[in-house]
Amino acid sequence: MAERAEIVVVGAGPAGIAAACAARECGRSVRVVDENPHAGGQIWRGELPQPWRTRWEQAAVPMQAGATAFGFAGEQTLLVECEGRAMEIAFERLIVATGARERLLPFPGWTLPGVTGAGGLQALMKSGLDLAGRRVVVAGSGPLLAEAGASLLAAGALVAIVAEQASFRQMIPFLGRIAARRGKWTQALRIASALRKTRYRAGAWPLSVERRDGALSVTLRLGPRREVIECDYLACGFGLLGNTELAQLAGCQVVNGCVVVDEHQRTSVLGIYCAGEPVGIAGVESALAQGLTAGYHAAGREDLATACTPGRDRGRRFQRVLAEAFALRPELKELATPDTIICRCEDVRLGELAGFLTWREAKLHTRCGMGACQGRVCGAALEFVAGMPAASVRPPLVPVSVGVLAGEQ
Amino acid sequence: MSGGNPDVVIIGAGIVGAAIAERLSAERLKVIVVEADCAGSGATAAGMGHVVVMDDSEAQFALTAYSRRLWQEKEACWPKAAEYRRPGTLWVAADAEEFAAVEHKHAWYGAHGVQSEILTAGDLAREEPQLRPGLAGALRVPEDMVVYPPAAARWLVERARRQGAVYMQGARVEHTTGSVVTLASGTVLHTGGVIHAAGAQGGHLPVTIPVAPRKGHLAITDRAPGFLRHQIVELGYLKSAHGHETESVACNLQPRATGQVLIGSSRQYGVHTAAVELPMLHRMLRRALEYMPGLAGLPVVRTWTGFRAATPDGLPLIGRAPQCEGLWLATGHEGLGITTSLATAELLAAQMLGREAAIPAEPYSPSRFGEKSAHA
Ligand SMILES: Cc1cc2nc3c(=O)[nH]c(=O)nc-3n(C[C@H](O)[C@H](O)[C@H](O)COP(=O)(O)OP(=O)(O)OC[C@H]3O[C@@H](n4cnc5c(N)ncnc54)[C@H](O)[C@@H]3O)c2cc1C
Ligand SMILES: Cc1cc2nc3c(=O)[nH]c(=O)nc-3n(C[C@H](O)[C@H](O)[C@H](O)COP(=O)(O)OP(=O)(O)OC[C@H]3O[C@@H](n4cnc5c(N)ncnc54)[C@H](O)[C@@H]3O)c2cc1C
């Protein structure tokens, strides 16, 4: 199958939806690709809130669902895997809106069954895992941690604690910003009231976890104290990392884990835009503003794109506030011991990585990052723990079969 | 190494530079190895690591057979990370014409003392059930090996260090003569001699040498233990390797120690960018699928490229550089540098120390292209 559209959008989260709507409303032919079965991304998961639901329905953008972009064939053709087949989609302009994933950090026991991401456990719950009556410890960092705690409680889980590694003091500017925004208020109140049913602790983080008698036994640091808590699940996420791989593969400049864009979301590669989390973690509203900007600009409506500037600027400011409020504390770098697995795919332990000066050298000689995830998890972990800037990106972005990679259609 | 200038500076710690460093330091020469990146990071990190005896010319045969023996002699030394194994090679014949070549190859190997056996179509199907039906047969060369080259290179460097060599990692040679090596950092090394073992790269040399980069693509699958037992090479491979077409592909499949399947191979002249090129990858994978259709379902986790250092006659350059006193060359190994690295080190050491080598060195002498290499 070979398809073509003036504007191709990868990712149907808020940024991608906004971009696709904007471009479509300007009369362009648009196509959206997303690996999930429905539009909405991580946050909306198929249930778009108003006014976006109506806008998305009215735009009626053709969407290739269940389709994963894994590379490029030339400068203006995206390669997509869909139901075990390769598909080529030619574009004039590409909008990369690939969202983010959770940052997982290594500590003793982090690879045990029952230890998941914080968003990861939420996702498992939404896809049917029954958590009613199950004991859960939520730990890590970021605004989504509180939200995860609240939604797990709502599903009947017994959330023993939500442990946020940032100190309360560090979070004040963030809380202040939320207090200043009416829209955010209601959401914050809802979360805060939900969390009354558990303990929310700032300045708290996991030290280790082990499995004892069929349950997990988590050791947390709570300020000056240690506390051991028994649970069935440890849901642990240390904020978000933008999915920059597709943009990197396209040759776009990436600095400090963020795709570099100009005021109209244009990347360093002509005709390629990027919007949402790959540009920097700043939440839904910013993603929407950036998506609109990219969509309008790609559609040739610079005037409309420029009109989105205030929203984008607010997003930029929020991004900085978030980054400072939830900056990871250095103690977290010391959690992993020589025996702690760093690369889950290839079973490489931290001790084996000692003495290597660069990621590439470590990879070549230990297989760290050579497995199916190609360093998506261990790359970020090692960058944080050992200060080694992580993996390089090659096609296929995700494992695809030899048949698909050979172009069998 | 005690004070004073080194006897020799080796540029590059790929498998070739590493093997030379190990060899010369064992002879108590004062050796410095200068490596821009890390040990085994160039073509050595990209190649398939098939240690194979080749019969395309007497000279190629002599070098590969000698070197394979050296790999085997070190069998007990290689660390586990080097993944030294002996799965053997199957040279697969697609049709009757190629099968005739199998018989010829068998006779030739026999006359040269290399063990091999003919597999009929039925034998072949039993040995490698994933191959498509209808192939004519194969020649099995049971003593060919597979290694993980970066780990082998690293081990050779380590051993050289234990024998007194100095290893400078992350140090790029900006310019060299036969006696003065200038690093990008500004450091200047004065030395008795210089060995160029920098693979396909030669910008730092004072003379031009007849070496051109020849790009290759590879793809590796996720683990699929038992899928494949031998290194499988189509007989047409020789055409691809020794033809001078600008682009060619051949079916070359390798079982890794991890249970992964490594899929090659492609050859391109005139391309200098490392990016994976989809059209080339398509051709290469389709060629592999023609021989082994069942590969279609295995997930590929990564693809990459590497550059072979190709010479006009397909043989390496081992020996004194013409027109530059003190400079020695050890490059131009094309698609066989893993195999021939150990023999290269022996030949070079013999020449430098004025000893007789185990095989004649003339066919690989850089001066065969004429004494007058142009000045860069
Ligand atoms: C026998 C064997 C088995 C292997 N098995 C695996 C495996 O199972 N999984 C796995 O992930 N890897 C595997 N590798 C591959 C290995 O880890 C490296 O990936 C290999 O060195 C290829 O380099 P790379 O392109 O990945 O470059 P990287 O490791 O990313 O290193 C960067 C190098 O790429 C070059 N480069 C710069 N830009 C580009 C570009 N646009 N495109 C390509 N190269 C560029 C740089 O010059 C530099 O040398 C294996 C290698 C060997 C030899
Ligand atoms: C796709 C592919 C498949 C292959 N398969 C096989 C196979 O199955 N069997 C086989 O025998 N061979 C194979 N080869 C060939 C083999 O990989 C090479 O011949 C071999 O690795 C060459 O080793 P080398 O040490 O000469 O070069 P390299 O490994 O390239 O090492 C050169 C080193 O020099 C360093 N360097 C370069 N310039 C400088 C400088 N100015 N200063 C300091 N350091 C410098 C580099 O960083 C590098 O580490 C294959 C090659 C490719 C590309």
Side-chain angles (χ1 to χ4, degrees), chain A residues 360 363 367 370 374 392 394, chain B residues 45 47 256 260 274 302 304:
Chain A
R360 179 163 151 84
K363 178 181 111 170
R367 298 194 55 81
M370 277 203 193
Q374 286 286 299
S392 62
R394 300 282 176 271
Chain B
R256 298 297 314 165
Q260 296 169 284
R302 192 176 180 91
W304 66 87

Side-chain angles (χ1 to χ4, degrees), chain A residues 360 363-364 367 369-371 374 392 394, chain B residues 37 41 44-48 147-150 220 254 256 260 262 274-276 301-302 304-305:
Chain A
R360 179 163 151 84
K363 178 181 111 170
L364 272 178
R367 298 194 55 81
M370 277 203 193
Q374 286 286 299
S392 62
R394 300 282 176 271
Chain B
D37 190 338
S41 63
T44 300
M48 286 184 108
V147 298
Y148 180 61
I220 195 152
Q254 180 181 85
R256 298 297 314 165
Q260 296 169 284
L262 183 52
V276 172
V301 299
R302 192 176 180 91
W304 66 87
T305 65

Side-chain angles (χ1 to χ4, degrees), chain A residues 56-82:
Chain A
W56 174 246
E57 278 165 13
Q58 283 174 353
V61 180
M63 169 157 154
Q64 195 72 45
T68 308
F70 67 87
F72 295 91
E75 281 174 15
Q76 295 197 309
T77 304
L78 186 71
L79 282 172
V80 170
E81 191 245 22
C82 188

Side-chain angles (χ1 to χ4, degrees), chain A residues 70 72-74 79 88 345-346 355-358 360-361 363-365 367 369-372 374 392-396 398-408, chain B residues 37-42 45 81 83 148 150-151 154 169 219-223 258 260 263 276 278 281-282 285-286 289 295-304:
Chain A
F70 67 87
F72 295 91
L79 282 172
E88 295 187 359
C345 302
E346 298 290 328
F356 294 109
L357 301 178
T358 63
R360 179 163 151 84
E361 187 185 9
K363 178 181 111 170
L364 272 178
H365 292 295
R367 298 194 55 81
M370 277 203 193
Q374 286 286 299
S392 62
V393 178
R394 300 282 176 271
V398 293
V400 299
S401 70
V402 174
V404 166
L405 205 54
E408 289 191 343
Chain B
D37 190 338
C38 65
S41 63
E83 296 176 8
Y148 180 61
R154 184 161 189 256
Q169 174 158 321
I220 195 152
T221 70
D222 212 341
R223 290 166 197 242
T258 49
Q260 296 169 284
I263 306 174
V276 172
L278 213 80
L281 196 62
H282 276 176
L285 293 177
R286 285 175 184 171
L289 288 172
L295 275 175
L298 298 187
V300 172
V301 299
R302 192 176 180 91
T303 59
W304 66 87

